[in-house]
Amino acid sequence: MTITPETVAFAIMSVLVLGGGLGVVSSRNLIHAALYLALTLFGVAGLFVLLEAPFLAAVQVLVYLGAIAVLVTITIMVTRRLMGITENVNRQWPVAALIAVLAAAILGFVVISQFAGVYPTQAVPPDTIERMGQSFASHQGFLLPFEVASVLLLAAMIGAIVVARD
Amino acid sequence: MADVLASLADIYTTIGNLLTRLFVDVLGASPELASGIIKFLGAGLLATSVLLILVFNIWFERKVMARIQDRIGPNRVGPWGIFQTVADLAKLFTKEIIIPDGADLVPFMIAPVISVMSVVLIWAVVPFAPTLIGTDLNIGALYFVAVSSLGVVSILLAGWSSNNKYALLGAFRGVAMLVSYEVPFVLALLVPVILSGSMRMGDIVRAQSIPFLVVMPVAALIFWIASVAEVGRQPFDVIEGESEIVSGYHIEYSGFAFAMFYAAEWAHGFTVCALMTVLFLGGWRGPGAEQIPTLGIVYFLGKTFLVYFFQVWTRAILPRMRIDHILSFSWKFLVPLSLVLLVLSVLADKLGQLYIPGYAVAGSFVDLLPRTALLLVVNLIVGGLAALWVAGLGRRERRRQEAALSVASIEGRAAQQAR
């Protein structure tokens, strides 16, 4: 295996993602867990860059780091009972572990059965964003799922406003 | 002679070529390695100059603000006090970084770094001249929104890890405001993206044969207000209300750690001016800039400093707004206004393309005139109606207060007479 800048970057991002994930489940301080989560999400954005999907990388940073991670952190900070927790396991850990193992098994099975020995590679087309936009807005593409998702988000937004007004 | 002139006209490409030749021919590096080294040098140069220009900007801002407020401003160090910032920097460098008891050390030290990073990274996609741009990402506009959202993380980190209630309160207020103003910021940013049909910063500049400020003045105004709020300057400087929460999220920071927050805030102020220039004022465009790219950076910096002057101006004359007023202004006025404006302008643009002969969405100054006229009218109508609505609200509120006052005075007089 030759060492290229890409493999080095991939190794760094993998360490960020896996180390961050480990930190999330192992840290005793909930705020630290949230910060490790932000690190993990940042690493995933880096992986998107390596896969030549800059749009997804930017959205990952914008949505997950700029919004979700901040939201999680603030939620923990304003909830006093959560701040005092020093145990790093709760009673649900066997179920959580079971689900995690199952998910890993399914993902691993799919990857191995699909790509065992074969690595189908394909050049990334230069105009990915135009193609993505067109497939979101055409009948042949994903117009219906796109609109359904939009309506779902709109409903959630209105719901949030209604809850906030009460 | 003509060769020299031609190479001077596009000085950025010339320097790049010279450096490549130096590395490849003289030092014997491979072309890939040479381009890697040059990119590395360029990134370092860009990041350094963003921070170095602050030395001038801080003096400029203090001097302009002082003059507006009928003061003299810095005048001790060097002519007109121009080296005042250098002296301040030297002072900050030599101060101790005090870490408060019970602070969370790692987040405490990372927060200022993220803060500076979130600002400096934006400059990677700012086009200075036709041939001078860090990297012309095809998602440039999205990239800088994503990167600047990291600033929120740094404020939250700093506020929480300081182990100080004022810092935490300041961080909460700041995050609430920054997240609220990100919405109109992004909605206004969509306008140049839609008008130029690209998120690439270079294409956005090239599409502005007529600057988008003229095409969509209301969108430019929304972007301007939201960007001032994103920086957290007056009238939106609740992030560090000195008189309310002493200094907000960076109260526990001292020495160079504080200097980094300070630098990030001022650099952000200048950065949003550069973005305003790129998105609404035509960036490097100006007479002869296409032929002589060297001129581009002159136009770019000139426009940026003009916008910066306006920012300093608003900063010097406006008082701080209350946090609930700030949030209401964003959610109840700017967001609806920008949504209505966006939908109506896109609709008008589409109808214009269908029904108006000679309606072009790209091209020279003359080609773009019908589109400009149509969208300008839409803008003026929407902006005018919004202004009338706000004026009506203000009048109603004043009448209500006056009525309450007169009722109170009648009751007071009645009570006096009874006595």
Side-chain angles (χ1 to χ4, degrees):
Chain A
M1 190 177 126
T2 54
I3 293 179
T4 59
E6 281 81 16
T7 46
V8 175
F10 179 74
I12 294 174
M13 290 306 158
S14 311
V15 169
L16 280 188
V17 172
L18 295 177
L22 202 64
V24 174
V25 290
S26 65
S27 51
R28 286 174 182 276
N29 186 328
L30 261 184
I31 293 278
H32 286 173
L35 297 181
Y36 277 120
L37 181 67
L39 195 67
T40 307
L41 297 171
F42 187 76
V44 173
L47 290 180
F48 279 135
V49 171
L50 282 179
L51 291 171
E52 299 199 26
F55 183 83
L56 284 181
V59 169
Q60 171 86 13
V61 172
L62 182 63
V63 173
Y64 283 91
L65 269 177
I68 304 254
V70 169
L71 192 70
V72 168
T73 320
I74 287 197
T75 315
I76 296 171
M77 283 178 187
V78 295
T79 315
R80 186 169 298 158
R81 278 184 51 222
L82 287 179
M83 290 286 279
I85 293 177
T86 47
E87 288 286 313
N88 61 346
V89 286
N90 63 13
R91 263 168 287 155
Q92 291 164 347
W93 73 266
V95 187
L98 187 71
I99 292 172
V101 168
L102 269 180
I106 292 171
L107 278 176
F109 173 74
V110 170
V111 169
I112 291 170
S113 66
Q114 287 292 309
F115 302 116
V118 214
Y119 297 95
T121 52
Q122 200 182 354
V124 179
D127 54 345
T128 43
I129 293 168
E130 284 88 350
R131 286 160 65 127
M132 195 169 75
Q134 275 155 8
S135 62
F136 275 149
S138 74
H139 317 286
Q140 294 86 20
F142 303 95
L143 183 62
L144 187 66
F146 182 70
E147 290 301 326
V148 169
S150 311
V151 171
L152 184 70
L153 287 175
L154 184 69
M157 207 156 69
I158 294 173
I161 293 172
V162 170
V163 169
R165 277 176 74 98
D166 287 343
Chain B
M1 189 63 198
D3 282 1
V4 176
L5 274 182
S7 61
L8 277 183
D10 190 0
I11 197 159
Y12 323 114
T13 314
T14 313
I15 293 175
N17 290 342
L18 275 178
L19 278 177
T20 315
R21 285 239 300 274
L22 175 74
F23 284 120
V24 175
D25 298 347
V26 182
L27 299 176
S30 68
E32 293 84 35
L33 185 64
S35 103
I37 294 174
I38 290 170
K39 277 177 188 157
F40 198 73
L41 286 178
L45 184 71
L46 183 64
T48 318
S49 35
V50 171
L51 295 174
L52 274 183
I53 207 166
L54 275 186
V55 175
F56 175 73
N57 278 354
I58 293 178
W59 171 81
F60 174 80
E61 180 154 350
R62 290 178 64 179
K63 202 75 182 170
V64 171
M65 258 173 64
R67 285 307 188 190
I68 289 175
Q69 297 168 343
D70 204 9
R71 294 182 284 118
I72 294 172
N75 67 342
R76 294 286 120 179
V77 193
W80 310 290
I82 196 163
F83 297 125
Q84 181 65 49
T85 321
V86 181
D88 288 347
L89 263 180
K91 184 196 78 172
L92 280 170
F93 264 120
T94 53
K95 278 183 142 183
E96 185 189 356
I97 299 179
I98 299 166
I99 295 160
D101 234 16
D104 206 332
L105 189 63
V106 176
F108 187 78
M109 294 318 281
I110 287 178
V113 179
I114 297 180
S115 173
V116 172
M117 193 181 85
S118 73
V119 175
V120 171
L121 280 179
I122 295 177
W123 286 84
V125 294
V126 172
F128 295 93
T131 49
L132 186 67
I133 174 167
T135 166
D136 207 357
L137 283 181
N138 53 4
I139 50 151
L142 187 68
Y143 166 85
F144 81 70
V145 177
V147 165
S148 54
S149 75
L150 287 179
V152 180
V153 179
S154 84
I155 290 179
L156 206 56
L157 272 185
W160 178 75
S161 63
S162 300
N163 191 27
N164 180 316
K165 289 197 173 75
Y166 287 113
L168 191 58
L169 272 180
F172 279 161
R173 298 206 314 185
V175 170
M177 185 182 87
L178 293 183
V179 171
S180 307
Y181 275 86
E182 218 157 80
V183 181
F185 185 79
V186 173
L187 286 175
L189 166 73
L190 270 181
V191 166
V193 170
I194 287 174
L195 288 183
S196 62
S198 173
M199 284 196 281
R200 205 184 281 271
M201 299 295 252
D203 290 352
I204 291 178
V205 172
R206 267 181 213 101
Q208 297 183 64
S209 304
I210 298 177
F212 291 152
L213 177 73
V214 181
V215 188
M216 301 281 283
V218 179
L221 190 66
I222 295 172
F223 184 82
W224 162 249
I225 295 173
S227 67
V228 172
E230 284 281 298
V231 181
R233 300 211 143 176
Q234 278 93 339
F236 303 108
D237 68 334
V238 287
I239 304 181
E240 39 174 316
E242 300 91 335
S243 50
E244 300 150 26
I245 43 170
V246 271
S247 186
Y249 63 95
H250 55 49
I251 177 175
E252 292 288 0
Y253 283 86
S254 60
F256 204 65
F258 169 73
M260 286 177 86
F261 276 120
Y262 191 71
E265 189 199 320
W266 290 61
H268 200 178
F270 190 63
T271 306
V272 293
C273 294
L275 293 178
M276 180 86 189
T277 306
V278 170
L279 295 173
F280 288 99
L281 295 177
W284 44 258
R285 291 187 83 103
E290 294 272 6
Q291 291 79 39
I292 312 169
T294 310
L295 271 180
I297 198 162
V298 177
Y299 293 133
F300 173 79
L301 283 180
K303 289 174 186 175
T304 305
F305 268 103
L306 189 71
V307 182
Y308 192 58
F309 176 75
F310 275 93
Q311 196 186 61
V312 177
W313 191 352
T314 52
R315 190 182 171 194
I317 60 172
L318 288 176
R320 177 183 305 143
M321 275 160 61
R322 225 168 64 194
I323 178 73
D324 57 325
H325 288 175
I326 291 180
L327 296 186
S328 304
F329 181 63
S330 170
W331 288 113
K332 296 182 184 164
F333 183 69
L334 284 184
V335 173
L337 175 65
S338 45
L339 276 175
V340 169
L341 182 72
L342 192 68
V343 171
L344 286 185
S345 318
V346 172
L347 212 64
D349 195 33
K350 199 73 197 172
L351 289 177
Q353 286 174 35
L354 287 178
Y355 296 114
I356 298 178
Y359 192 94
V361 293
S364 66
F365 186 86
V366 182
D367 297 337
L368 283 175
L369 277 179
R371 185 192 214 196
T372 307
L374 179 68
L375 290 182
L376 187 62
V377 169
V378 171
N379 261 262
L380 291 181
I381 292 174
V382 173
L385 287 179
L388 281 180
W389 182 60
V390 170
L393 276 185
R395 213 173 298 130
R396 214 181 311 149
E397 177 69 17
R398 193 166 63 236
R399 225 173 274 146
R400 203 178 60 78
Q401 298 222 345
E402 277 170 5
L405 265 180
S406 61
V407 166
S409 64
I410 290 169
E411 280 171 352
R413 225 174 295 146
Q416 255 179 3
Q417 281 169 356
R419 219 178 291 138

